[in-house]
Amino acid sequence: MNKRRIAWIAGLAVAAIALTGCSASGGSGSGSGEAQEGGTLSYLEPQTWNTLYPPAAGFYPNGGIINQVTDRLLWQNPETLELEPWIATALPEVNADATEYTFTLRDDVTYSDGTSLDAENVVKNFDLYGKGDTDRALSISEAINNYDHGEVVDDHTVKFVFSAPSPGFAQATSTINSGLLANATLDRTNEEFGPGNATDIIGSGPFVISDEQIGKETDLTVRDDYDWAPESREHQGRAHLDGVNFIVAAESSVRVGTVTSGQAQVARQIPAPDEAQFAGDNLQLVHAATNGVNNSLSFRFSHAPLNDIKVRQAIIAGIDRQAIVDTLFTENYPLATGILAKSALGYTDTSKFYDYDPEQAEKLLDEAGWKPGSDGIREKDGERLSITFNEALPQPRSKDVVTLIQEQLAKLGVEVKLFPGDQAAQDEARLSADEIQVYHSMVGRADYDVLKSQLFSTNRNALLNLDTATGTIADPELDADLAEIASVPTSDERAAASAKAQQRLAEQAYVLPLFEEPQVFGLLSSVQGFSTESIGRPSFYDVQLTK
């Protein structure tokens, strides 16, 4: 039943191009009717998901599905960012040094395969997420630090014990990385969490995965007996919708045109130039904050030529961030004033380190010994000043961003190359400083630990501070600062540790924050109750369609 719909979406590519610059006016986009129960929503994603193993599901196409089919111990209210009970009946009891957390669980929750969500199952979830399993190639969750073990206190009480303070654990239990899964699902290998296995991934959420066309579409069906949403959600019980169809539509013109023409209800990643198309009466635009590490450039500082701080400082001074934002984006993409978004926990203003000053950039490059060559590109000891950026496919307009940077830095004699390739090629190249010297990325998480998640040596290691071939760490002080964020027990101590790490990142010219990246959705106005979780992943539990 899905092949026809997939072909229909693909066939809209040509028509969608003609729709660019226009807004729909009428048809199925009208939101004047009354909200109804039931109906199936068509949701367009720019990329396909690659894993449904929660600790590795940070990629937005993964998380968008995980957020519909799993529940968590706690819920982070997306408006207040406060933690609230969900599968746990209350916030956890935590000891003084944040090394023990005790949760009491609801006694009425089941998975979609009929098995119980009880203490034994919850411990099995977190023993896997907190420790990983190398034999099955299942990674440790970057959201969980210093995990030792879980204990079953009784059927509906669990205790988690940590080898050192783990102050971010309560928030970690609210993320999609801690989505709770049935016992049989937890026994799967990494490959068995991948494409082709979607319908076998069993959660306790308001929807279940009912069908999959690999790389094209994943269909969700409502769970009729669902009745354990967080208390502050707008309604309780069964989701309003009968189902949600996640359809991959890589071309932005297709996503925009399909929604504006009223033939799909929601699309993610609406490009900034197309936002104006959603100003019509029958359309709406939602931009959700990601509350974490901003859209940024990470400089692999242990690799030539970026191992010279003057070169890094020159590149930063030579990039006009305001021109990038003004040229490519809208007011929904505020210029970054630090590595963290202003709404992020631990935010520190380090904007003075990112001033655009091309004259200073030229001076620094001269001092570093890089002289203009015959074609204008600087040279030193027979080597060209050439650096390669990745194309961050999940990030908005990454290729355009790098192209503008290429133009700006060329004026200073710096050659910028863009690494080509699909997501698999980008992921492989990301791990090599020989391939990618400047890494374009972002990370959403509404907790102090997000900075550690992005940069720590054994987490995402965006700076390649850890050389995995030799096991050496280029800047142990930075790694220690990042580790401290996740290992001191109080909020004040964590804020201080985060500020210290941010200061070092700025002073050493390790990163250049560009803008605060939102998740931008285009919707028909007939879609009511659409919301996102705390870092911008869609939630369809409260959604209703108008007649």
Side-chain angles (χ1 to χ4, degrees):
M1 64 177 179
N2 298 313
K3 292 181 180 178
R4 182 177 299 175
R5 183 165 56 248
I6 293 166
W8 163 70
I9 290 291
L12 283 169
V14 176
I17 293 172
L19 285 166
T20 302
C22 304
S23 294
S25 57
S28 62
S30 175
S32 59
E34 295 182 359
Q36 64 178 328
E37 294 298 311
T40 298
L41 181 139
S42 294
Y43 172 77
L44 306 184
E45 263 285 352
Q47 294 174 288
T48 187
W49 62 272
N50 55 32
T51 183
L52 297 179
Y53 174 58
F59 183 43
Y60 271 79
N62 302 334
I65 295 174
I66 290 289
N67 197 42
Q68 320 309 320
V69 302
T70 71
D71 300 315
R72 273 78 80 190
L73 290 180
L74 300 178
W75 188 55
Q76 187 166 35
N77 188 307
E79 295 181 2
T80 67
L81 299 185
E82 295 294 324
L83 296 175
E84 301 176 13
W86 190 351
I87 300 304
T89 61
L91 298 182
E93 296 179 6
V94 186
N95 68 349
D97 63 356
T99 58
E100 293 183 0
Y101 289 74
T102 302
F103 292 85
T104 301
L105 310 176
R106 294 181 62 136
D107 61 6
D108 59 345
V109 181
T110 60
Y111 289 103
S112 59
D113 64 358
T115 58
S116 296
L117 196 167
D118 55 19
E120 184 177 350
N121 164 259
V122 170
V123 167
K124 183 170 183 173
N125 271 270
F126 283 95
D127 277 356
L128 175 59
Y129 298 169
K131 298 178 180 180
D133 188 326
T134 55
D135 291 340
R136 292 186 285 153
L138 296 173
S139 60
I140 297 172
S141 172
E142 67 183 16
I144 300 175
N145 297 286
N146 306 319
Y147 187 86
D148 189 89
H149 69 278
E151 299 176 2
V152 176
V153 178
D154 58 42
D155 287 348
H156 300 290
T157 308
V158 295
K159 177 189 284 189
F160 298 107
V161 180
F162 298 83
S163 59
S166 188
F169 182 67
Q171 193 276 340
T173 69
S174 74
T175 68
I176 61 99
N177 305 100
S178 297
L180 297 169
L181 298 174
N183 289 333
T185 302
L186 293 170
D187 291 334
R188 303 175 75 81
T189 65
N190 180 59
E191 184 177 356
E192 291 170 336
F193 278 99
N197 301 280
T199 59
D200 295 324
I201 306 303
I202 304 301
S204 62
F207 294 93
V208 298
I209 302 173
S210 54
D211 197 12
E212 174 190 8
Q213 300 292 323
I214 297 176
K216 297 178 179 179
E217 180 172 352
T218 305
D219 294 343
L220 310 185
T221 300
V222 72
R223 183 173 175 186
D224 286 323
D225 63 345
Y226 185 83
D227 195 20
W228 38 83
E231 289 186 5
S232 61
R233 294 301 295 255
E234 290 188 13
H235 84 281
Q236 298 293 307
R238 179 195 190 276
H240 298 297
L241 294 169
D242 290 332
V244 182
N245 297 327
F246 282 67
I247 301 169
V248 178
E251 292 294 329
S252 61
S253 59
V254 174
R255 295 195 306 279
V256 172
T258 306
V259 175
T260 57
S261 64
Q263 298 180 73
Q265 287 98 349
V266 184
R268 186 177 73 85
Q269 205 172 84
I270 302 302
D274 295 315
E275 288 183 10
Q277 296 193 51
F278 290 85
D281 291 340
N282 301 319
L283 299 161
Q284 54 182 315
L285 194 74
V286 173
H287 52 93
T290 49
N291 294 312
V293 172
N294 283 324
N295 187 295
S296 306
L297 305 176
S298 296
F299 299 98
R300 271 72 190 273
F301 59 87
S302 60
H303 187 282
L306 298 179
N307 56 348
D308 186 337
I309 189 173
K310 288 188 176 181
V311 174
R312 300 195 300 272
Q313 290 172 331
I315 291 172
I316 289 172
I319 294 177
D320 187 347
R321 301 180 306 137
Q322 189 66 60
I324 291 171
V325 171
D326 291 345
T327 302
L328 298 178
F329 298 101
T330 67
E331 61 184 8
N332 294 326
Y333 298 76
L335 185 71
T337 55
I339 187 64
L340 296 180
K342 289 181 179 179
S343 58
L345 289 172
Y347 162 76
T348 298
D349 187 340
T350 53
S351 55
K352 67 179 182 180
F353 291 92
Y354 314 126
D355 289 339
Y356 175 54
D357 189 343
E359 291 183 1
Q360 175 67 5
E362 289 188 334
K363 179 174 180 291
L364 287 165
L365 291 173
D366 289 341
E367 292 175 356
W370 293 93
K371 306 300 181 184
S374 58
D375 63 353
I377 300 301
R378 291 175 181 260
E379 298 177 349
K380 180 180 179 181
D381 300 329
E383 297 290 333
R384 289 166 63 85
L385 184 50
S386 179
I387 54 178
T388 301
F389 289 55
N390 65 309
E391 181 181 357
L393 296 174
Q395 270 56 73
R397 310 198 73 182
S398 177
K399 185 176 182 178
D400 295 331
V401 169
V402 177
T403 299
L404 272 183
I405 291 172
Q406 189 176 48
E407 295 172 0
Q408 292 174 355
L409 293 184
K411 298 175 183 177
L412 303 175
V414 180
E415 181 180 54
V416 171
K417 297 179 179 179
L418 180 67
F419 184 89
D422 61 14
Q423 191 62 51
Q426 297 291 341
D427 287 343
E428 184 176 357
R430 175 184 66 84
L431 303 175
S432 171
D434 291 328
E435 298 282 359
I436 304 295
Q437 290 87 57
V438 177
Y439 184 58
H440 186 199
S441 63
M442 61 78 68
V443 180
R445 185 184 172 193
D447 188 78
Y448 294 102
D449 284 0
V450 68
L451 198 61
K452 176 178 180 288
S453 293
Q454 171 75 330
L455 301 173
F456 190 63
S457 57
T458 57
N459 290 144
R460 300 193 184 200
N461 194 27
L463 293 166
L464 295 188
N465 192 16
L466 170 66
D467 184 334
T468 55
T470 64
T472 58
I473 294 177
D475 187 345
E477 182 177 339
L478 174 63
D479 229 34
D481 290 345
L482 294 168
E484 187 177 3
I485 298 170
S487 300
V488 288
T490 69
S491 295
D492 287 346
E493 289 172 301
R494 298 180 78 198
S498 180
K500 183 180 178 184
Q502 290 172 70
Q503 188 70 19
R504 183 161 186 81
L505 290 168
E507 289 177 348
Q508 295 299 314
Y510 287 160
V511 297
L512 177 60
L514 298 175
F515 53 84
E516 298 192 13
E517 180 178 329
Q519 290 294 306
V520 181
F521 301 86
L523 299 82
L524 297 181
S525 57
S526 59
V527 178
Q528 298 185 4
F530 176 82
S531 64
T532 64
E533 42 81 271
S534 62
I535 64 169
R537 296 186 183 93
S539 175
F540 297 114
Y541 176 66
D542 291 318
V543 168
Q544 289 181 278
L545 303 177
T546 60
K547 297 180 181 179

